[in-house]
Amino acid sequence: MIRIDSVTKRYPDGTVAVDRLSLDIPDRAITVLVGPSGCGKTTTLRMINRMVEPSEGGILLDGKDIRQQPVNTLRRSMGYVIQNAGLFQHRTILDNIATVPRLLGRPKQQARARAAELMERVGLDTALAKRYPYQLSGGQQQRVGVARALAADPPVLLMDEPFSAVDPVVRKGLQDELLRIQSELGKTIVFVTHDIDEAIKLGTMVAVLRTGGRLAQFAPPAELLSAPADPFVEDFLGADRGIRRLSFFPTTELELQTAPVVAVDAGAEQLASRAGAPYLLVTDLDGRPLGWSEPDRLTAGAVDTDRLLPYGRPFVPGTDSLRTALDGAVLSPTGWAVAVDGEGRAVGVVSQQVIGEAIRTAHSRVAEQAAEHAAGQAEVKAG
Amino acid sequence: MNVLDFAHAFFSDTAHWHGYDGIPTRFAEHVRYSLEALLIAAAIGLPVGLLTGHYGRGGNTLALLATAGRALPSFGLLVLMFIWIGFGLLPVMIPLVVLAVPPILVTTYEAIRSVDPSPVDAARGMGMPETRVLLQVEVPVALPLILSGLRTAAIQIVSTATIAAYVSLGGLGRYIIDGLYQKDYEKVVGGATLVAGLALVTLAIFWAAARLTVSPGVRRGT
Ligand SMILES: Nc1ncnc2c1ncn2[C@@H]1O[C@H](COP(=O)(O)OP(=O)(O)OP(=O)(O)O)[C@@H](O)[C@H]1O
Ligand SMILES: [Mg+2]
């Protein structure tokens, strides 16, 4: 664990960048530092690898003051990724990635073999190994930056706005990749961003800092959304906090209806038996959704697929969140969301009303848990 | 008779190709003075430029020294040194080195200063020692500029090394000075042509050195 213990950083010009900050950064999880520009995120991150020295307070790594070991030994045990990747333009991609293993004295061949392994790990084609940084796109350069930080297999990874210079599509890809790598490697990651959505997506824990380098709130993202500590955090979270919170509610317990789902070749009898539903979802012969229709507009055995209404974006129950389900229902002109399995075959439909119920249930469950937690804490204190 | 005729006459006279005053001897002498001056100037200018550039200190002092160095007339300095020290190589080397240090020093300083700070930051953050940051991160990227400083210095040395002849030393300056004294314009033109030729060879050598030492990643396929 990295413990930031009442750390203050005052720059020589008098700027207080970080003010009595205390944070316990959990092992094998992503801890995000987020906040407005100039709130001291970078300063905090750079104090962890001693690129900046605190004016007061200290930082402990697994219980030991980070100043107890030589500074370069400390840094080699922590991967460091910065905004524009900071690649060495005179070295090939492979040699860029091999930098830290080489610093640690590994033989060249071994370091390069390791670098090639990491290229694959971060989703880079090994055909790029002999290229130079200028021959790569921004997103690819950023991947090289991550690979370089991981090359010596450090337990800790420090990342300062690593994805903020690439376009939204590439950024999403990089974020998903980081989550995948993290699920495989389980590093202790400290991630700086000014983008609250990125913080919520990536963070196991999120520290919101306010200008002047003070901690506003330190909580898991779901808690941040449900219970912002103060108006500053609430404002920083943005307008659609309620909707975004739904990302943390599962769709496992949503009750799906299968009756309104009919195949494109359904006979007259089957159609008649379903006539009670306001809309029917027509699927192809494999069960993939084609679109919605009012029951009386369907002709048995000869459905005109061109006249079907669009079905919005389907969700996968159990995998997707209530947010995706609600989004599907809102997008669909019928107000119903379509549930599909991993292969894209319709497994049922669900109405906005039912999703609404599920949201209320989820809310009250969270409230109950919070109350229980509070009671438990009180007991601990009393006992 | 025009310049080309003078040059032709000079180079086709076989007497000019032999002996202690022959072209090969004078050429070799000129190259030797130039190389020595360049090496001494580089030994002073490179380390100082690299260190001040790396630590970002002393830029103003450097600029001042460089301006002062450039303002000193080489010939005046030669005369001064000659009066002070007498005959020998030293009074020639001093003005040449004084001439060559400023371009090397200032360009090296600027070259290191202009290196993109983010790879340097990344290198430090990965735990790279300062000497390696300088030699393995900053210098390879700054190399084209550093070489251009050395090239400027080398060209200036080659053309100025003719002054060696004033203090009875050899080199290609002999032809120019003796030629002027003897009103032998063949010799003057021949000597000047050889100096210009050597300057061109110097350019070619630096071009080749850059091709060999600058990484394709820095050259960017140009
Ligand atoms: N070397 C320095 N000297 C003086 N002040 C500094 C220095 N570095 C940062 N600061 C100041 O400290 C404060 C915090 O800076 P820091 O870079 O940590 O912010 P940040 O949260 O990373 O901001 P951003 O999102 O813009 O990157 C700012 O007011 C900044 O101007
Ligand atoms: Mg920053």
Side-chain angles (χ1 to χ4, degrees):
Chain A
M1 190 179 67
I2 302 170
R3 165 165 286 173
I4 298 178
D5 190 11
S6 192
V7 160
T8 295
K9 176 63 193 182
R10 209 173 293 108
Y11 282 108
D13 66 356
T15 314
V16 177
V18 176
D19 189 10
R20 282 161 293 158
L21 178 71
S22 291
L23 275 184
D24 279 352
I25 294 167
D27 279 341
R28 304 183 150 267
I30 303 182
T31 299
V32 179
L33 305 178
V34 68
S37 183
C39 70
K41 306 179 292 291
T42 298
T43 303
T44 304
L45 188 82
R46 287 163 68 90
M47 284 193 287
I48 299 175
N49 65 357
R50 296 186 59 195
M51 295 288 281
V52 172
E53 295 289 355
S55 316
E56 284 158 35
I59 298 176
L60 305 179
L61 176 64
D62 297 325
K64 271 195 278 180
D65 193 312
I66 53 170
R67 282 167 294 200
Q68 280 180 6
Q69 52 180 323
V71 65
N72 283 337
T73 314
L74 176 81
R75 288 178 186 166
R76 288 170 202 170
S77 73
M78 295 181 170
Y80 184 51
V81 188
I82 56 177
Q83 186 171 354
N84 293 307
L87 301 183
F88 305 134
Q89 51 164 305
H90 61 289
R91 288 193 184 161
T92 61
I93 299 310
L94 205 65
D95 286 339
N96 261 282
I97 300 175
T99 306
V100 183
R102 291 291 287 145
L103 278 178
L104 290 169
R106 311 260 161 78
K108 201 168 205 156
Q109 283 318 309
Q110 193 188 325
R112 284 190 170 157
R114 170 79 183 144
E117 199 182 301
L118 273 152
M119 286 186 77
E120 280 173 22
R121 172 135 262 154
V122 301
L124 279 170
D125 189 346
T126 42
L128 302 175
K130 288 267 172 319
R131 289 213 193 164
Y132 288 91
Y134 80 94
Q135 295 166 310
L136 263 53
S137 71
Q140 288 170 329
Q141 294 194 17
Q142 214 46 257
R143 281 173 203 265
V144 177
V146 174
R148 185 174 63 177
L150 287 170
D153 203 17
V156 176
L157 209 55
L158 307 176
M159 310 180 84
D160 191 356
E161 307 214 19
F163 307 148
S164 61
V166 294
D167 69 67
V169 179
V170 176
R171 188 180 317 148
K172 185 180 176 303
L174 289 168
Q175 291 167 345
D176 293 339
E177 199 81 8
L178 181 69
L179 287 173
R180 187 184 59 70
I181 294 170
Q182 172 64 358
S183 70
E184 291 168 8
L185 302 180
K187 300 286 179 195
T188 302
I189 300 179
V190 187
F191 189 105
V192 164
T193 178
H194 59 254
D195 175 358
I196 185 68
D197 289 312
E198 186 167 66
I200 285 173
K201 176 171 179 181
L202 298 178
T204 318
M205 289 294 283
V206 178
V208 184
L209 300 181
R210 68 173 92 232
T211 313
R214 276 166 302 133
L215 182 66
Q217 188 168 5
F218 186 44
E223 190 184 320
L224 213 59
L225 289 169
S226 62
D230 60 21
F232 168 79
V233 178
E234 187 165 2
D235 190 49
F236 192 72
L237 286 167
D240 45 359
R241 170 164 76 83
I243 300 286
R244 290 213 308 252
R245 209 184 145 197
L246 298 181
S247 316
F248 297 94
F249 296 154
T251 45
T252 344
E253 287 169 31
L254 268 187
E255 252 176 66
L256 303 176
Q257 292 190 37
T258 47
V261 182
V262 294
V264 72
D265 62 347
E269 202 176 312
Q270 198 191 359
L271 285 182
S273 75
R274 308 282 167 89
Y279 291 98
L280 294 180
L281 179 75
V282 181
T283 69
D284 66 13
L285 295 175
D286 290 329
R288 289 192 175 75
L290 293 171
W292 292 97
S293 173
E294 284 156 2
D296 51 11
R297 283 175 166 268
L298 292 176
T299 349
V303 173
D304 181 0
T305 49
D306 289 342
R307 296 188 54 188
L308 296 175
L309 298 170
Y311 59 92
R313 206 151 56 103
F315 70 98
V316 182
T319 306
D320 285 329
S321 66
L322 278 183
R323 184 181 179 173
T324 318
L326 182 66
D327 188 54
V330 174
L331 279 177
S332 159
T334 63
W336 288 63
V338 177
V340 295
D341 62 14
E343 258 81 76
R345 287 183 296 253
V347 294
V349 294
V350 59
S351 69
Q352 278 177 11
Q353 282 77 9
V354 172
I355 296 173
E357 301 275 330
I359 293 171
R360 278 191 292 280
T361 316
H363 275 214
S364 54
R365 190 173 300 156
V366 171
E368 264 167 44
Q369 280 166 358
E372 263 169 45
H373 185 69
Q377 296 265 302
E379 239 165 71
V380 170
K381 275 190 191 142
Chain B
M1 283 260 260
N2 67 19
V3 176
L4 280 181
D5 295 326
F6 281 134
H8 183 257
F10 178 78
F11 289 110
S12 50
D13 185 345
T14 49
H16 286 141
W17 292 94
H18 305 288
Y20 75 93
D21 196 33
I23 293 171
T25 317
R26 292 297 180 217
F27 198 85
E29 284 166 351
H30 202 96
V31 168
R32 207 190 96 216
Y33 304 154
S34 302
L35 262 182
E36 281 178 9
L38 185 64
L39 285 179
I40 296 169
I44 298 167
L46 282 180
V48 177
L50 289 176
L51 288 174
T52 48
H54 179 72
Y55 291 107
R57 301 240 168 83
N60 290 335
T61 321
L62 274 188
L64 220 79
L65 280 178
T67 319
R70 277 175 180 152
L72 283 180
S74 301
F75 187 62
L77 204 55
L78 173 78
V79 174
L80 198 68
M81 289 300 143
F82 176 60
I83 294 170
W84 195 15
I85 305 171
F87 285 96
L89 199 55
L90 196 61
V92 177
M93 278 300 144
I94 289 173
L96 290 183
V97 169
V98 167
L99 176 76
V101 167
I104 297 175
L105 186 57
V106 173
T107 324
T108 306
Y109 171 80
E110 290 295 339
I112 297 290
R113 293 285 291 164
S114 62
V115 169
D116 179 4
S118 64
V120 176
D121 184 64
R124 287 205 182 102
M126 286 187 284
M128 199 182 271
E130 283 307 304
T131 41
R132 285 214 196 181
V133 172
L134 175 59
L135 297 177
Q136 295 182 2
V137 178
E138 292 176 317
V139 168
V141 175
L143 199 55
L145 257 181
I146 295 176
L147 283 174
S148 85
L150 284 169
R151 188 187 61 208
T152 307
I155 299 287
Q156 289 185 357
I157 288 175
V158 163
S159 45
T160 313
T162 45
I163 60 172
Y166 279 106
V167 289
S168 306
L169 287 174
L172 297 170
R174 274 265 64 88
Y175 296 131
I176 301 175
I177 286 164
D178 294 350
L180 283 172
Y181 182 70
Q182 301 158 358
K183 299 211 163 34
D184 180 350
Y185 296 113
E186 270 179 38
K187 235 181 189 174
V188 176
V189 171
T193 311
L194 285 167
V195 172
L198 184 55
L200 286 178
V201 171
T202 308
L203 277 181
I205 289 172
F206 273 93
W207 179 83
R211 293 300 292 186
L212 285 176
T213 57
V214 177
S215 155
V218 176
R219 238 188 287 131
R220 313 206 151 191
T222 51

